[in-house]
Amino acid sequence: MLTIFLWVIIGLFVFSQVLPRILVKYFNYARPVAAVTGPILDSDFRRRLQPPQKIIERSGLKEGMKVLDLGCGSGTFTTFLARAVGDKGWVYALDIQPDMLKQLQEKLSRPENRDIKNIELINSSADELPFADGSLDLVCMVSVLQEIPDRQKALKEVKRVLKPGGVLAISEVLADIDYFLKSTTIKMAGGAGFILDKALGGIWNYTVRFIKPQPIFGISPDNRGLKCT
Ligand SMILES: C[S@@+](CC[C@H](N)C(=O)[O-])C[C@H]1O[C@@H](n2cnc3c(N)ncnc32)[C@H](O)[C@@H]1O
């Protein structure tokens, strides 16, 4: 009986944790997580794994910033970002799945969040961002990048919409089946022309901060061969 129980546990672990990681890593399997997971993502347990305050500190968010919560999901971090940027700041909460945005909308209508007036919900895709060039200060991507099939295209879109000197903060948590190592994230963002600023946190959960390079003497950074190291 005990042996069967152990095999069931091992089977469940392989099915839920090992198999998806192999698919993501070796078969470039990338698709949005089902919207039914919204309540799990936006739970206190999840926030213990990835505390919002840590995401905010590590991202370098400041009051008054225009921030994009890219792949906001059910809004686990969106309300925290909105409060941190304050009245003069703005948060765009963008997701490809309307059902995720519905959950965020419902969250914002709760009495405890009615004071928040600086969030705009946007249903769109990471590889076609509905923002003007150089219009944002900070883009936060929490547990999102690996769900996007064409990551380079999405990262280049992020670079386009950031101001020169603007920040891309990518956060990952090991418990996520789409988790990629810090070094892989750094390589991917480097490929899109970002400059590595800081890598913070350990293997369990980390944030890597990148900068969109500034033009020097009018020469576009894309022509200067700057890369992450
Ligand atoms: C694992 S969830 C994380 C949600 C939220 N950032 C969090 O940490 O709780 C990933 C989210 O990214 C969204 N997503 C996946 N691919 C996307 C894309 N190409 N464009 C925009 N959002 C996308 C999914 O719909 C999902 O809501």
Side-chain angles (χ1 to χ4, degrees), residues 17 31 125 163 182:
Q17 289 292 317
R31 57 186 276 192
S125 171
K163 294 175 182 170
K182 222 186 271 181

Side-chain angles (χ1 to χ4, degrees), residues 32-33 41 46 50 69-74 76-77 94-97 100 124-127 142-144 147-149 176:
V33 66
L41 291 171
R46 162 57 186 320
Q50 252 178 329
D69 184 3
L70 177 46
C72 59
S74 47
T76 316
F77 300 103
L94 182 145
D95 204 283
I96 199 166
Q97 297 190 79
M100 283 292 195
S124 188
S125 171
D127 41 28
V142 186
S143 303
V144 174
E147 290 189 13
I148 301 171
D176 184 356

